[in-house]
Amino acid sequence: MDLQAVIAHMETGEQDAALAALQGFNREMSQCFTFRKAEEQDRQEEKLQKHLGELVVGFLSRNLQPSCLLACLETVRILSRDKRCLDPFISRSAMSTLATYAGIATAQTAAAAAADGQSGEGKMEDKGGDEEGKVDAEKEAPPPAENPDLEVIVEALKSICNILLHNETGQAVAAELQLIKGVAERLKHCNDPTWSFEVRFFDLRLCFLLTALRVDVRAQLAQELHGISLLGNQLDATLGLCWPDPLETARVGLEGVPPEELPPLSRQQTELAMEILKILFNVTFDTNRRKVDEEEAAEYRHLGAILRHCLMSQAEGEERTEEFHSHTVNLLGNLPLPCLDVLLMPKVQQGSIEYMGVNMDAVNMLLDFMEKRLDRGHKLKETLLPSLNLLTESARIHRETRKFLRSKVLPPLRDVKNRPEVGNALRNKIVRLMTHIDTDVKDCAAEFLFVLCKESVSRFIKYTGYGNAAGLLAARGLLRGGRDSGIYSEDEDSETEEYREAKAHINPVTGVVEEDQPNPMEGMSEEQKEYEAMKLVSMFNKLSRVNLIQPMQLSMDGTMREMTSEDLQNLSHNPLPQPDERRDGDSEEEEQ
């Protein structure tokens, strides 16, 4: 496309000439998302694109024919894909003009644009001589129509989204113009049939970008604009929910239908719902780290009930369903922990998974979702940890959830022949993660199993083996055994007959029964044993001095500390531990 020819037509100032030139440009560039060429040609084209952008913004400040207006906005959308050429669009007057056409301009938007016009900051060069179009963009921009042109709104919203995605100045101007207020005002009318799917979608996309990129806008939406309630209502309307009980949801017209028999959500419902979930994630990012009052807790419980419905719903296709559930799980992890009890509140119905008289459908769905991510093994930190963390914290605070998860993940131990990390059971898969190369993954896996063991060291070692458990125990100062500070109920011993019979022969380090190995010191005199021990100490000492290894010692408080050369020398005066000595933890009572 010859940009100079397009610019020449624009500079005439005639709408018909501009319309024909812009329509040709838009057709040719509609699928163009990269703008890099040879360096010299690239610089020249960048200048031409910026000049074209200035001319188009000048046109937008005039009263235009509908077709010319739409063509100008389409051109802005295409040009705003190139992050190097955004200068014409990031002034307050240009952003205000786009916001007006998007239908999200507020009083603050008009005031900021007027101030910008007075200072001359928003003036754009227009060689066509249309002086009236250059004086005050806000005065010339038409007011929102009673019957809005939805295509114009969508094009303007897309342009603003492109600008926000690529330019920090544009983000700051959008925050200053209070665009979030305009979007929030339209979101209140989520049931209004006037607004098409595309308008609703790009309203939400704009809201997502603002809350993701601007902390101040995120706080404003959450507090001043009551974002949790606003977006919760939007999600409620999108999914078409009704409320048989205060914290129990159903689909309108499908009350009483079990979740597994509900029809899948439509593509449009899923797209809108996922955008809302992403915005709510931004808004609630730090919620689970602070205390909430009763009013906030009620809002979060209401939202949690909707999220439970999302978790139990299906989208069109397995891949789309998993993406939808992923956003749902991410948001559930942000809710205050006491509010997660809404996952257990629905009544037990025919076909529900019941445990201890409680409906465990949602918890079981979370467990299945987590195992799918675990089996896939791809980017575990990003894909697995949200669901694993959510299950850990739910188990920590809700007794029924913990006991149900333990029955699924750590059933009574019968296999004492294979190592805990060997096998395809869920316990084996999670134990394997405890030695994962990523520290966050291994810590989260260990924490999950530790909580299921009620933070009992002896039980944790029983199910994972001391070697796998050592990392968490060292970090907690629990290598000497005992129990961490969590508060858990007392339950009965759950040892199986197989485990009870083999218990005395289980190697606590590996967690399995191993064949008796020959004693390497058999037949040695006491002098020979002492000689071998001192030889070993000497080797440790030598490697330590050249910093090849750092010997460690278990201190009295259960943590590890560095061993000095004096400590190594003192080992020779300590009696060797007898192989038949029992660990203190072995006698600790086993509980469910």
Side-chain angles (χ1 to χ4, degrees):
M1 168 59 65
D2 186 357
L3 279 176
Q4 291 180 328
V6 177
I7 289 171
H9 283 92
M10 294 290 293
E11 287 177 338
T12 65
E14 296 178 4
Q15 291 194 43
D16 291 341
L19 174 62
L22 290 180
Q23 284 180 335
F25 174 82
N26 295 342
R27 272 195 305 273
E28 186 167 329
M29 302 294 287
S30 64
Q31 299 302 313
C32 179
F33 295 91
T34 55
F35 298 87
R36 297 289 178 190
K37 296 185 179 179
E39 188 173 346
E40 187 63 34
Q41 185 181 3
D42 196 42
R43 279 199 298 268
Q44 180 63 23
E45 186 163 305
E46 184 179 331
K47 291 179 183 177
L48 292 174
Q49 285 179 2
K50 285 183 178 179
H51 186 39
L52 177 60
E54 292 167 356
L55 293 171
V56 171
V57 170
F59 261 73
L60 287 173
S61 64
R62 299 163 46 184
N63 285 316
L64 300 175
Q65 303 167 12
S67 56
C68 188
L69 171 60
L70 188 60
C72 284
L73 289 171
E74 286 176 352
T75 303
V76 174
R77 170 173 56 82
I78 291 169
L79 292 176
S80 62
R81 293 170 181 167
D82 189 347
K83 61 184 177 183
R84 305 165 304 161
C85 302
L86 293 176
D87 290 352
F89 311 124
I90 58 177
S91 67
R92 287 187 295 178
S93 60
M95 290 284 283
S96 176
T97 300
L98 290 173
T100 300
Y101 285 120
I104 56 174
T106 63
Q108 290 93 331
T109 310
D116 196 41
Q118 289 172 4
S119 67
E121 181 183 330
K123 291 182 180 179
M124 294 296 172
E125 190 177 357
D126 187 346
K127 295 181 181 177
D130 191 344
E131 295 298 325
E132 195 175 352
K134 297 192 293 180
V135 175
D136 191 339
E138 183 60 30
K139 289 181 181 177
E140 291 298 324
E146 290 184 9
N147 296 311
D149 186 332
L150 299 184
E151 281 188 288
V152 167
I153 291 175
V154 169
E155 287 298 331
L157 286 171
K158 287 180 178 179
S159 299
I160 296 172
C161 287
N162 283 347
I163 294 166
L164 294 183
L165 188 61
H166 296 306
N167 189 273
E168 280 191 34
T169 303
Q171 296 160 17
V173 171
E176 184 183 346
L177 295 178
Q178 299 288 302
L179 298 193
I180 191 65
K181 284 189 175 180
V183 176
E185 188 59 37
R186 191 152 64 203
L187 290 179
K188 292 177 183 177
H189 309 292
C190 50
N191 290 315
D192 189 339
T194 302
W195 309 116
S196 66
F197 161 75
E198 279 202 312
V199 171
R200 292 183 66 192
F201 179 83
F202 284 104
D203 273 349
L204 292 168
R205 176 57 59 87
L206 175 57
C207 191
F208 167 71
L209 289 171
L210 283 169
T211 54
L213 298 168
R214 296 284 304 189
V215 176
D216 54 342
V217 175
R218 191 184 308 164
Q220 182 183 11
L221 179 60
Q223 297 161 19
E224 180 186 339
L225 301 175
H226 309 289
I228 305 300
S229 174
L230 174 67
L231 293 163
N233 292 337
Q234 183 84 5
L235 188 56
D236 186 327
T238 299
L239 299 173
L241 300 183
C242 61
W243 297 80
D245 287 313
L247 290 173
E248 190 169 346
T249 60
R251 298 251 189 104
V252 173
L254 296 170
E255 298 88 338
V257 177
E260 63 274 9
E261 295 179 18
L262 287 172
L265 299 170
S266 69
R267 182 190 66 82
Q268 292 188 353
Q269 280 180 305
T270 308
E271 294 283 349
L272 292 175
M274 288 195 295
E275 289 300 313
I276 297 168
L277 292 172
K278 290 192 291 185
I279 301 167
L280 280 166
F281 178 85
N282 292 340
V283 170
T284 61
F285 186 68
D286 65 343
T287 303
N288 64 359
R289 301 187 187 96
R290 62 181 178 86
K291 290 186 177 180
V292 294
D293 57 31
E294 286 187 20
E295 185 178 346
E296 287 179 306
E299 274 190 348
Y300 286 119
R301 277 198 167 87
H302 182 83
L303 177 59
I306 301 176
L307 296 181
R308 184 190 186 279
H309 186 90
C310 292
L311 199 61
M312 302 306 297
S313 298
Q314 302 291 312
E316 292 181 346
E318 186 176 344
E319 187 176 333
R320 212 62 173 153
T321 298
E322 186 168 341
E323 185 181 1
F324 180 46
H325 286 171
S326 178
H327 291 302
T328 303
V329 169
N330 290 344
L331 180 52
L332 277 169
N334 282 358
L335 297 193
L337 296 179
C339 298
L340 293 177
D341 59 356
V342 295
L343 297 178
L344 311 177
M345 282 188 173
K347 301 180 187 73
V348 176
Q349 300 177 340
Q350 186 174 1
S352 297
I353 298 174
E354 178 185 357
Y355 192 85
M356 296 177 66
V358 176
N359 187 323
M360 287 292 171
D361 287 345
V363 177
N364 191 65
M365 180 68 77
L366 283 171
L367 189 64
D368 288 345
F369 177 81
M370 183 271 288
E371 188 169 9
K372 282 181 186 175
R373 291 293 177 95
L374 177 55
D375 289 341
R376 189 164 298 153
H378 180 63
K379 293 184 177 179
L380 290 178
K381 186 171 182 176
E382 292 81 6
T383 61
L384 175 69
L385 293 201
S387 54
L388 195 53
N389 274 323
L390 178 59
L391 288 170
T392 301
E393 297 307 324
S394 298
R396 196 192 304 276
I397 200 168
H398 296 118
R399 176 173 177 262
E400 295 85 358
T401 300
R402 175 179 56 77
K403 291 173 72 68
F404 174 75
L405 290 174
R406 176 151 189 223
S407 72
K408 295 287 186 179
V409 180
L410 300 178
L413 192 57
R414 300 182 185 280
D415 182 6
V416 292
K417 300 290 187 184
N418 295 305
R419 293 189 175 212
E421 64 270 23
V422 175
N424 294 317
L426 187 50
R427 172 180 75 111
N428 308 133
K429 297 174 185 177
I430 297 175
V431 170
R432 282 197 289 272
L433 290 182
M434 292 171 66
T435 52
H436 194 274
I437 190 171
D438 189 299
T439 304
D440 290 333
V441 172
K442 72 177 184 180
D443 288 349
C444 188
E447 183 74 15
F448 177 57
L449 295 181
F450 195 47
V451 168
L452 294 191
C453 293
K454 300 200 302 185
E455 303 187 17
S456 163
V457 172
S458 61
R459 184 180 301 173
F460 186 49
I461 292 171
K462 166 184 170 181
Y463 282 99
T464 66
Y466 192 85
N468 292 316
L472 180 139
L473 299 180
R476 297 283 191 95
L478 293 171
L479 285 171
R480 288 186 177 274
R483 184 190 292 272
D484 214 346
S485 56
I487 300 173
Y488 297 96
S489 59
E490 293 297 326
D491 301 312
E492 294 180 358
D493 188 348
S494 64
E495 285 187 0
T496 62
E497 189 65 31
E498 294 90 334
Y499 181 79
R500 191 177 293 113
E501 290 177 358
K503 184 175 180 180
H505 306 288
I506 291 176
N507 182 339
V509 174
T510 59
V512 295
V513 175
E514 295 180 344
E515 294 182 5
D516 291 337
Q517 300 294 323
N519 183 356
M521 292 189 174
E522 188 173 356
M524 287 187 183
S525 66
E526 291 300 319
E527 290 77 11
Q528 287 175 311
K529 292 178 183 178
E530 184 175 351
Y531 171 78
E532 293 294 335
M534 289 304 300
K535 183 179 175 182
L536 183 60
V537 169
S538 177
M539 291 167 64
F540 275 128
N541 203 6
K542 182 178 179 182
L543 292 172
S544 177
R545 283 198 304 272
V546 295
N547 294 321
L548 282 178
I549 65 168
Q550 175 57 65
M552 305 292 287
Q553 186 175 43
L554 186 61
S555 61
M556 294 303 295
D557 62 359
T559 59
M560 300 298 291
R561 70 172 182 84
E562 294 182 5
M563 291 182 69
T564 64
S565 56
E566 290 78 9
D567 293 324
L568 289 169
Q569 291 294 338
N570 290 337
L571 282 177
S572 61
H573 303 295
N574 293 330
L576 293 173
Q578 298 302 313
D580 59 345
E581 284 183 358
R582 293 175 58 84
R583 289 181 167 270
D584 292 340
D586 287 345
S587 61
E588 187 173 332
E589 182 183 2
E590 293 290 335
E591 298 163 355
Q592 174 66 30

